[in-house]
Amino acid sequence: QWPDRYYHASSDTPDRCDPASLAHSARAAAVYAAVLATAGSVEHTAMLALAARATRRRLYAALDAAQPTDAAWAEVRRGHAALLSTMRLAPAAERATEMLHAQEALGDFFDSEIVPALREPLRSGDVVPDSPVPVRDVDAPLDTQRHLLPGWAALDEADREDWRAIDHETPGGTTALDVAWYQADGQQSVHAIAETLRLEGHPVPPEGVQRFFDAAVRMGLAHWRPPHM
């Protein structure tokens, strides 16, 4: 239905919805749900192949990223998770074996095709230094329309501009910031969250993570605690 001037806006009220468009959406969702609900061994094999092929394509693309090692590591983790997720639709033992074979094949592909092409070795087991620990005071995800967040109206213009800059300048944008927000469980430090973001393919430095949570603290959405509490 693009372009739609009301799309995901407060003006997207029922009187501005297109009944035909809603009907198309309902049909597409119903067909998708029916296919998944009745998926058998043939469909499971096809989904495994699709997930594996998409992962290999993204791994090749990761070699051209600014930080190819981090990008490749994130994609192989994403690929293994995608393969594993197919078991929600196919719990039978023989399909589990097929999924494990697909994961092994992906691992072999990563080791033989991707690792030799990387310009730097894979990182693992890095020591994460102590740093402050952000704690969410709001359990829900943060609205990406920041002006809808509690406390926005009380911010001065400089703090509002800082929020906008954080969203714009953070590698991965609001997607990366959502991952950071979910990690703020009172256990993960700034450096640990930055490391998680790196493994997810978002190279946000600890300073960027701290800046984001500083902004959240100013709005009363989170608070800080020191490490080792």
Side-chain angles (χ1 to χ4, degrees), residues 49 51-61 106 109 114:
R53 184 164 65 249
T55 300
R56 291 195 297 270
R57 183 177 65 250
R58 289 194 299 267
L59 280 168
Y60 279 131
L106 176 58
F109 172 82
I114 303 302

Side-chain angles (χ1 to χ4, degrees), residues 58-72 119 201:
R58 289 194 299 267
L59 280 168
Y60 279 131
L63 296 176
D64 294 325
Q67 296 176 298
T69 297
D70 289 349
R119 297 188 292 272

Side-chain angles (χ1 to χ4, degrees), residues 79 87 119 185:
M87 290 308 299
R119 297 188 292 272
D185 58 359

Side-chain angles (χ1 to χ4, degrees), residues 137-158:
D137 291 330
V138 176
D139 290 333
L142 294 184
D143 199 312
T144 54
Q145 297 187 74
R146 302 307 193 194
H147 65 280
L148 299 179
L149 291 173
W152 179 268
L155 295 179
D156 59 31
E157 189 57 31

Side-chain angles (χ1 to χ4, degrees), residues 17-203:
C17 291
D18 176 17
S21 176
L22 294 176
H24 289 318
S25 297
R27 291 190 193 97
V31 170
Y32 186 76
V35 170
L36 295 182
T38 59
S41 58
V42 173
E43 289 80 10
H44 181 243
T45 299
M47 284 186 285
L48 277 174
L50 285 171
R53 184 164 65 249
T55 300
R56 291 195 297 270
R57 183 177 65 250
R58 289 194 299 267
L59 280 168
Y60 279 131
L63 296 176
D64 294 325
Q67 296 176 298
T69 297
D70 289 349
W73 187 241
E75 290 300 345
V76 76
R77 292 173 70 247
R78 176 184 177 186
H80 280 296
L83 294 173
L84 183 61
S85 72
T86 64
M87 290 308 299
R88 300 173 187 171
L89 308 174
E94 62 271 16
R95 298 176 195 168
T97 301
E98 186 179 22
M99 185 275 299
L100 290 174
H101 287 330
Q103 288 200 319
E104 291 174 358
L106 176 58
D108 292 341
F109 172 82
F110 184 70
D111 291 339
S112 62
E113 297 290 331
I114 303 302
V115 172
L118 294 173
R119 297 188 292 272
E120 56 184 357
L122 288 174
R123 292 167 52 188
S124 62
D126 289 356
V127 176
V128 177
D130 287 339
S131 56
V133 176
V135 186
R136 293 190 309 267
D137 291 330
V138 176
D139 290 333
L142 294 184
D143 199 312
T144 54
Q145 297 187 74
R146 302 307 193 194
H147 65 280
L148 299 179
L149 291 173
W152 179 268
L155 295 179
D156 59 31
E157 189 57 31
D159 283 338
R160 293 181 182 181
E161 285 300 323
D162 189 44
W163 265 102
R164 297 183 185 107
I166 290 169
D167 288 343
H168 178 70
E169 297 169 6
T170 299
T174 55
T175 299
L177 295 176
D178 281 347
V179 175
W181 184 250
Y182 300 146
Q183 293 292 307
D185 58 359
Q187 304 298 319
Q188 306 297 319
S189 70
V190 163
H191 278 82
I193 293 173
E195 178 65 5
T196 296
L197 289 171
R198 183 186 72 80
L199 293 174
E200 291 287 341
H202 307 300

